[in-house]
């Protein structure tokens, strides 16, 4: 079942979207679960990275759509985001938060379904490029390209990313199993590296985004083979 978040304070607009979704399900046989939130504050009260698409009204009380979207992108870089607005000029702001598209109200059936289909296609296409990181106080979803390397430290995993360091639960072996297809490789028992960010290998060290990491003797051969394969397009 596909999960949709609708962040909208206008009950009439919500009713219209629900009727469109019900019609679309009957026409296609696809299954959707819609969760409605009256504003951005309600949306983030118990936010979880479970949505396949987020429809976000721009003009709302308490926490408007633009500010809510900026907050969303700080914890979920991947989820497709579609703005809903009364004035098209507001939708231009969507570029600041990597919005996929926008809808100008009043919402028409075919427009709504076109935007929904676009979002679902995007989600399907890039599904293998995302990873959900489970923290002790919640979770965050990132694209794998945002991760430089993962480190084991004091029984925790430290994800070194373009958003800073993120402490998470889990095992490095499980992370390796998940990320192997996204050109990640271990250089020793403590580090799992995104090979895209390797800039140099110097004797027993590998340079990842300007950070030097130790290559262990037991992992050296397999790591270098993975690196060579990646650079040659075979990994």
């Amino acid at each position: 079942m596909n999960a949709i978040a609708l962040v909208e304070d206008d009950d009439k607009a919500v009713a219209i979207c629900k009727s469109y979704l019900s019609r679309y399900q009957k026409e296609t046989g696809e299954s959707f679960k819609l969760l409605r939130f009256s504003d951005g504050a309600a949306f983030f009260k118990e936010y979880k990275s479970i949505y396949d698409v987020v429809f976000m009204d721009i003009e709302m009380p308490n926490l408007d759509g633009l500010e809510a979207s900026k907050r969303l992108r700080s914890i979920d870089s991947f989820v497709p985001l579609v703005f809903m607005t009364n004035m098209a000029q507001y939708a231009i702001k969507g570029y600041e938060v990597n919005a996929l598209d926008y809808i100008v109200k009043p919402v028409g059936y075919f427009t709504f379904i076109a935007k929904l289909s676009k979002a679902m296609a995007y989600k399907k296409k890039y599904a293998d490029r995302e990873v959900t990181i489970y923290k002790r106080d919640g979770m965050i979803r990132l694209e794998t390209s945002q991760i430089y390397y993962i480190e084991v430290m004091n029984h925790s995993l430290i994800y070194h990313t373009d958003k800073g360091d993120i402490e998470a639960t889990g095992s490095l072996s499980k992370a390796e199993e998940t990320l192997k297809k996204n050109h990640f490789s271990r250089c020793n028992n403590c580090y799992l590296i995104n090979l895209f960010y390797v800039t140099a290998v110097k004797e027993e060290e590998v340079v990842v985004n300007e950070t030097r990491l130790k290559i262990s003797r037991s992992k050296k051969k397999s790591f270098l083979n993975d690196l060579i394969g990646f650079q040659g397009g075979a990994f």
Side-chain angles (χ1 to χ4, degrees):
M1 178 177 288
N2 302 298
I4 298 175
L6 176 59
V7 190
E8 171 64 74
D9 65 322
D10 185 339
D11 291 339
K12 183 178 179 180
V14 172
I16 290 172
C17 290
K18 285 183 175 179
S19 69
Y20 289 167
L21 195 59
S22 178
R23 174 182 167 183
Y24 184 65
Q25 289 182 115
K26 291 177 182 177
E27 292 175 347
T28 65
E30 291 194 57
S31 181
F32 293 89
K33 180 179 180 180
L34 187 146
L35 292 89
R36 184 265 179 110
F37 303 90
S38 58
D39 58 35
F43 180 53
F44 286 110
K45 188 174 182 179
E46 296 182 4
Y47 180 78
K48 295 181 180 179
S49 297
I50 60 172
Y51 303 109
D52 295 289
V53 56
V54 174
F55 287 93
M56 180 82 70
D57 184 26
I58 292 182
E59 299 167 272
M60 295 183 293
N62 300 322
L63 184 64
D64 68 37
L66 290 174
E67 289 304 314
S69 297
K70 291 177 183 177
R71 184 172 172 183
L72 173 63
R73 284 297 179 236
S74 72
I75 57 175
D76 194 332
S77 302
F78 181 79
V79 64
L81 174 64
V82 179
F83 277 141
M84 299 173 67
T85 177
N86 288 308
M87 291 181 282
Q89 59 264 36
Y90 283 140
I92 302 301
K93 293 288 187 179
Y95 290 108
E96 298 177 6
V97 290
N98 194 29
L100 182 67
D101 213 328
Y102 68 91
I103 299 174
V104 177
K105 297 178 181 179
V107 181
Y109 175 72
F110 292 106
T111 298
F112 179 79
I113 296 308
K115 307 301 183 183
L116 174 61
S117 298
K118 180 179 179 180
M120 296 306 297
Y122 174 91
K123 173 75 174 180
K124 183 178 181 180
K125 181 178 180 180
Y126 294 103
D128 65 346
R129 300 187 189 182
E130 70 167 65
V131 61
T132 300
I133 299 172
Y134 294 91
K135 306 189 295 179
R136 301 190 189 284
D137 60 347
M139 55 185 177
I140 182 172
R141 187 157 57 183
L142 298 175
E143 291 189 32
T144 56
S145 61
Q146 295 178 273
I147 303 170
Y148 303 135
Y149 66 97
I150 306 168
E151 176 181 8
V152 175
M153 183 181 293
N154 298 326
H155 305 292
S156 295
L157 296 182
I158 307 299
Y159 285 75
H160 299 271
T161 78
D162 63 0
K163 291 182 176 295
D165 294 347
I166 301 170
E167 184 174 352
T169 58
S171 71
L172 197 62
S173 295
K174 185 64 176 179
E176 181 180 21
E177 180 182 337
T178 300
L179 294 168
K180 181 72 174 179
K181 63 181 179 295
N182 299 105
H183 50 74
F184 280 71
S185 181
R186 282 209 212 192
C187 65
N188 65 36
N189 289 330
C190 297
Y191 301 116
L192 179 64
I193 293 172
N194 187 340
L195 298 175
F196 181 82
Y197 292 104
V198 173
T199 56
V201 175
K202 301 179 179 179
E203 298 180 354
E204 304 304 317
E205 290 183 328
V206 55
V207 181
V208 182
N209 195 40
E210 300 183 352
T211 300
R212 292 175 177 266
L213 303 176
K214 185 74 174 177
I215 303 174
S216 69
R217 182 175 299 176
S218 63
K219 297 289 185 184
K220 186 173 184 178
K221 182 177 180 179
S222 61
F223 175 73
L224 292 179
N225 284 340
D226 285 344
L227 181 60
I228 292 169
F230 169 70
Q231 291 176 337
F235 182 73

